[in-house]
Amino acid sequence: MLAGSAADLRSRTWQLRPADLREIAITASAEILRLEAIRVVAVDALALNPDEQVLCYRGAGRWLAANTMLQIPTGNRIAALGLALRTFPTISAQFDAGNLTFDHTALIVTFCETPPKGMPEKALPHCINTLLAAASGIEATTAKLRYAIAVLERIFESDDTPPGEDDDRNQLRISPTLNGRVAIKGDFDSLTGEMLLSALSGLSMPTPAADGTPDARSAAKRTADAFTELIRRYLDNAATGVDGGQRPHVNVHVNAKDLAEHRTCASTRKNTSNNTDDDPALDFDDLDNLDSLDSLDGLDVGHMPWMGPLSITRTRMLACDCLLSTILLDENGAPLDVSPLKRLVSAAQRTALIARDKGCAFPGCDCVPAWTDAHHITPWSQNGPTVMDNLVLLCRSHHTLMHRKAGFTGKWEIKMGRDHKPWFIPPPAIDPEQKPRRSTQRC
């Protein structure tokens, strides 16, 4: 079905069933992964044995950019990945087979090239297996892979700052252009990114006109307007900092046991029968446990609603100078009920829902908490109580999906599992076995 051009396909889409179009989209995606791997292999081979044409450029990546519509940074990334994969044949094999995306492969390789200093060399193969499991399959997401990396850094934590939290690497370039405008390009650590995204969120929401006309601005234009408003409010209020004032509203979720005093690095922890202070969840002398992603579920790191994982070291540092809100968790890490029965979700309940669901809980959705609604699994109109086991965060799109009457695809159901977390059951038209699915915003 992939024969011909996109123009050919566009001219005959009216003849195709939705099932045919789904198959084309999935097949094309798999083909893109296959071709990306082929391109990396070819560019790396040229880097090893360049001919006269390639030697005219400063590297095979620049040659690729000069002879395609790719930009130089993209060409260099392709060449760099090919070079790195020479050292990691296990990762290379999965990438070559089309089981990993380019970006996920680069993330795994980066971890392997600069592992935590507390990680013994013999643990690397097991860590690779864990990361490959997190990055493989149709349920693989960047958030899921970043979580696995954050937990491995937690297991082998040292005093070194993780790259994503190293504010010494922060850069902001502001350059006036020839036509009188200003171009901005920046690269920030995750905590700074969390503060910026939190500050811009409310200011960048679509705002209908007075007559109800939908906001016609693009997402990029709304963000630019929000950034302008943020600067204007700062200057209007001369907000240059207040000693002893309230810190920026950055929400970090972490279990109380992980907020306790700093433990000894996992790499130096000894497993002795008379040492009862060791955390059994962090005892990885049996490195085979690292081969399974599920073995990391009980190991908590900090989590920010916008930017995702945050090392326990940085989380503890923030806790020294913040306002703490207590959320009681059960043995599965699910929040307990925090308010009486009523229709509207209280502020305390919403805080607890964010701690549990991390955003829209629908499988595959990465919508952040600020853009979600609290949904009653059993409707309030049918005597559904406003308690944690009957509530779930959903983005507006998936909230609408849950309230839609069963149509040609049937209707999704939500069941609260024994772990007190929501599980989604697809209709038979989507999955004949109706296998329950959980949120992919794992952390």
Side-chain angles (χ1 to χ4, degrees), residues 112-132:
C112 295
E113 288 182 324
T114 56
K117 287 191 175 181
M119 188 180 81
E121 187 175 345
K122 63 180 181 179
L124 182 58
H126 303 276
C127 291
I128 289 176
N129 290 338
T130 296
L131 298 180
L132 290 177

mmCIF file of all heavy atoms in Angstrom, residues 112-132:
data_model
loop_
_atom_site.group_PDB
_atom_site.id
_atom_site.type_symbol
_atom_site.label_atom_id
_atom_site.label_comp_id
_atom_site.label_asym_id
_atom_site.label_seq_id
_atom_site.Cartn_x
_atom_site.Cartn_y
_atom_site.Cartn_z
ATOM 1 N N CYS A 112 24.526 5.562 28.751
ATOM 2 C CA CYS A 112 25.605 4.567 28.789
ATOM 3 C C CYS A 112 26.987 5.214 28.679
ATOM 4 O O CYS A 112 27.961 4.722 29.255
ATOM 5 C CB CYS A 112 25.423 3.552 27.663
ATOM 6 S SG CYS A 112 23.928 2.545 27.823
ATOM 7 N N GLU A 113 27.077 6.306 27.932
ATOM 8 C CA GLU A 113 28.365 6.985 27.779
ATOM 9 C C GLU A 113 28.760 7.760 29.032
ATOM 10 O O GLU A 113 29.952 7.900 29.327
ATOM 11 C CB GLU A 113 28.314 7.932 26.577
ATOM 12 C CG GLU A 113 28.302 7.230 25.238
ATOM 13 C CD GLU A 113 28.311 8.200 24.083
ATOM 14 O OE1 GLU A 113 27.678 9.274 24.202
ATOM 15 O OE2 GLU A 113 28.934 7.890 23.057
ATOM 16 N N THR A 114 27.762 8.261 29.739
ATOM 17 C CA THR A 114 28.035 9.013 30.973
ATOM 18 C C THR A 114 27.183 8.452 32.108
ATOM 19 O O THR A 114 26.281 9.133 32.619
ATOM 20 C CB THR A 114 27.734 10.509 30.773
ATOM 21 O OG1 THR A 114 26.372 10.659 30.326
ATOM 22 C CG2 THR A 114 28.681 11.128 29.754
ATOM 23 N N PRO A 115 27.434 7.213 32.527
ATOM 24 C CA PRO A 115 26.627 6.604 33.594
ATOM 25 C C PRO A 115 26.891 7.279 34.929
ATOM 26 O O PRO A 115 27.901 7.978 35.095
ATOM 27 C CB PRO A 115 27.110 5.147 33.602
ATOM 28 C CG PRO A 115 28.516 5.220 33.110
ATOM 29 C CD PRO A 115 28.525 6.328 32.090
ATOM 30 N N PRO A 116 26.006 7.080 35.906
ATOM 31 C CA PRO A 116 26.255 7.630 37.243
ATOM 32 C C PRO A 116 27.582 7.110 37.786
ATOM 33 O O PRO A 116 27.917 5.942 37.588
ATOM 34 C CB PRO A 116 25.069 7.111 38.066
ATOM 35 C CG PRO A 116 24.003 6.801 37.059
ATOM 36 C CD PRO A 116 24.713 6.360 35.830
ATOM 37 N N LYS A 117 28.328 7.962 38.453
ATOM 38 C CA LYS A 117 29.642 7.555 38.949
ATOM 39 C C LYS A 117 29.548 6.451 39.985
ATOM 40 O O LYS A 117 30.493 5.701 40.203
ATOM 41 C CB LYS A 117 30.383 8.766 39.531
ATOM 42 C CG LYS A 117 30.888 9.719 38.467
ATOM 43 C CD LYS A 117 31.826 10.748 39.043
ATOM 44 C CE LYS A 117 32.410 11.628 37.935
ATOM 45 N NZ LYS A 117 33.357 12.636 38.467
ATOM 46 N N GLY A 118 28.394 6.328 40.628
ATOM 47 C CA GLY A 118 28.226 5.272 41.622
ATOM 48 C C GLY A 118 27.873 3.931 41.027
ATOM 49 O O GLY A 118 27.717 2.950 41.759
ATOM 50 N N MET A 119 27.724 3.824 39.717
ATOM 51 C CA MET A 119 27.311 2.569 39.088
ATOM 52 C C MET A 119 28.527 1.717 38.747
ATOM 53 O O MET A 119 29.418 2.159 38.025
ATOM 54 C CB MET A 119 26.517 2.857 37.811
ATOM 55 C CG MET A 119 25.878 1.621 37.207
ATOM 56 S SD MET A 119 24.957 2.013 35.697
ATOM 57 C CE MET A 119 26.281 2.060 34.493
ATOM 58 N N PRO A 120 28.578 0.468 39.243
ATOM 59 C CA PRO A 120 29.692 -0.405 38.887
ATOM 60 C C PRO A 120 29.607 -0.806 37.418
ATOM 61 O O PRO A 120 28.529 -0.876 36.833
ATOM 62 C CB PRO A 120 29.506 -1.611 39.807
ATOM 63 C CG PRO A 120 28.052 -1.605 40.156
ATOM 64 C CD PRO A 120 27.633 -0.171 40.169
ATOM 65 N N GLU A 121 30.746 -1.092 36.830
ATOM 66 C CA GLU A 121 30.793 -1.418 35.405
ATOM 67 C C GLU A 121 29.962 -2.649 35.071
ATOM 68 O O GLU A 121 29.343 -2.727 34.006
ATOM 69 C CB GLU A 121 32.249 -1.628 34.983
ATOM 70 C CG GLU A 121 32.432 -1.813 33.484
ATOM 71 C CD GLU A 121 33.892 -1.899 33.096
ATOM 72 O OE1 GLU A 121 34.754 -1.543 33.923
ATOM 73 O OE2 GLU A 121 34.172 -2.324 31.955
ATOM 74 N N LYS A 122 29.913 -3.602 35.999
ATOM 75 C CA LYS A 122 29.181 -4.841 35.723
ATOM 76 C C LYS A 122 27.667 -4.626 35.660
ATOM 77 O O LYS A 122 26.930 -5.506 35.190
ATOM 78 C CB LYS A 122 29.501 -5.893 36.785
ATOM 79 C CG LYS A 122 29.061 -5.520 38.200
ATOM 80 C CD LYS A 122 29.424 -6.611 39.196
ATOM 81 C CE LYS A 122 28.959 -6.250 40.609
ATOM 82 N NZ LYS A 122 29.294 -7.310 41.584
ATOM 83 N N ALA A 123 27.197 -3.475 36.139
ATOM 84 C CA ALA A 123 25.755 -3.208 36.111
ATOM 85 C C ALA A 123 25.282 -2.679 34.771
ATOM 86 O O ALA A 123 24.076 -2.686 34.489
ATOM 87 C CB ALA A 123 25.385 -2.210 37.212
ATOM 88 N N LEU A 124 26.215 -2.219 33.919
ATOM 89 C CA LEU A 124 25.822 -1.564 32.676
ATOM 90 C C LEU A 124 24.968 -2.450 31.772
ATOM 91 O O LEU A 124 23.930 -1.993 31.265
ATOM 92 C CB LEU A 124 27.054 -1.071 31.916
ATOM 93 C CG LEU A 124 26.769 -0.312 30.616
ATOM 94 C CD1 LEU A 124 25.884 0.911 30.885
ATOM 95 C CD2 LEU A 124 28.062 0.133 29.945
ATOM 96 N N PRO A 125 25.324 -3.726 31.514
ATOM 97 C CA PRO A 125 24.466 -4.551 30.644
ATOM 98 C C PRO A 125 23.044 -4.684 31.162
ATOM 99 O O PRO A 125 22.084 -4.706 30.386
ATOM 100 C CB PRO A 125 25.189 -5.908 30.618
ATOM 101 C CG PRO A 125 26.608 -5.595 30.964
ATOM 102 C CD PRO A 125 26.538 -4.456 31.931
ATOM 103 N N HIS A 126 22.894 -4.784 32.483
ATOM 104 C CA HIS A 126 21.554 -4.913 33.064
ATOM 105 C C HIS A 126 20.770 -3.604 32.932
ATOM 106 O O HIS A 126 19.561 -3.619 32.681
ATOM 107 C CB HIS A 126 21.670 -5.321 34.535
ATOM 108 C CG HIS A 126 22.433 -6.593 34.756
ATOM 109 N ND1 HIS A 126 21.853 -7.842 34.652
ATOM 110 C CD2 HIS A 126 23.744 -6.804 35.046
ATOM 111 C CE1 HIS A 126 22.761 -8.772 34.883
ATOM 112 N NE2 HIS A 126 23.917 -8.171 35.122
ATOM 113 N N CYS A 127 21.468 -2.486 33.093
ATOM 114 C CA CYS A 127 20.818 -1.187 32.903
ATOM 115 C C CYS A 127 20.373 -1.009 31.455
ATOM 116 O O CYS A 127 19.293 -0.477 31.182
ATOM 117 C CB CYS A 127 21.758 -0.057 33.301
ATOM 118 S SG CYS A 127 22.101 0.031 35.074
ATOM 119 N N ILE A 128 21.202 -1.456 30.516
ATOM 120 C CA ILE A 128 20.843 -1.365 29.101
ATOM 121 C C ILE A 128 19.571 -2.156 28.832
ATOM 122 O O ILE A 128 18.659 -1.688 28.125
ATOM 123 C CB ILE A 128 22.000 -1.869 28.217
ATOM 124 C CG1 ILE A 128 23.163 -0.873 28.245
ATOM 125 C CG2 ILE A 128 21.527 -2.091 26.782
ATOM 126 C CD1 ILE A 128 24.385 -1.334 27.479
ATOM 127 N N ASN A 129 19.460 -3.355 29.415
ATOM 128 C CA ASN A 129 18.251 -4.165 29.219
ATOM 129 C C ASN A 129 17.012 -3.448 29.751
ATOM 130 O O ASN A 129 15.936 -3.482 29.143
ATOM 131 C CB ASN A 129 18.403 -5.517 29.917
ATOM 132 C CG ASN A 129 19.410 -6.412 29.230
ATOM 133 O OD1 ASN A 129 19.710 -6.230 28.046
ATOM 134 N ND2 ASN A 129 19.955 -7.376 29.952
ATOM 135 N N THR A 130 17.171 -2.792 30.897
ATOM 136 C CA THR A 130 16.052 -2.045 31.476
ATOM 137 C C THR A 130 15.621 -0.906 30.560
ATOM 138 O O THR A 130 14.422 -0.698 30.305
ATOM 139 C CB THR A 130 16.443 -1.477 32.850
ATOM 140 O OG1 THR A 130 16.694 -2.561 33.743
ATOM 141 C CG2 THR A 130 15.340 -0.611 33.420
ATOM 142 N N LEU A 131 16.593 -0.151 30.055
ATOM 143 C CA LEU A 131 16.276 0.993 29.206
ATOM 144 C C LEU A 131 15.702 0.543 27.864
ATOM 145 O O LEU A 131 14.803 1.202 27.322
ATOM 146 C CB LEU A 131 17.533 1.840 28.997
ATOM 147 C CG LEU A 131 18.111 2.449 30.277
ATOM 148 C CD1 LEU A 131 19.364 3.266 29.966
ATOM 149 C CD2 LEU A 131 17.082 3.325 30.983
ATOM 150 N N LEU A 132 16.194 -0.564 27.327
ATOM 151 C CA LEU A 132 15.631 -1.085 26.077
ATOM 152 C C LEU A 132 14.175 -1.507 26.278
ATOM 153 O O LEU A 132 13.333 -1.300 25.404
ATOM 154 C CB LEU A 132 16.461 -2.262 25.570
ATOM 155 C CG LEU A 132 17.858 -1.929 25.048
ATOM 156 C CD1 LEU A 132 18.600 -3.202 24.657
ATOM 157 C CD2 LEU A 132 17.788 -0.983 23.857
#
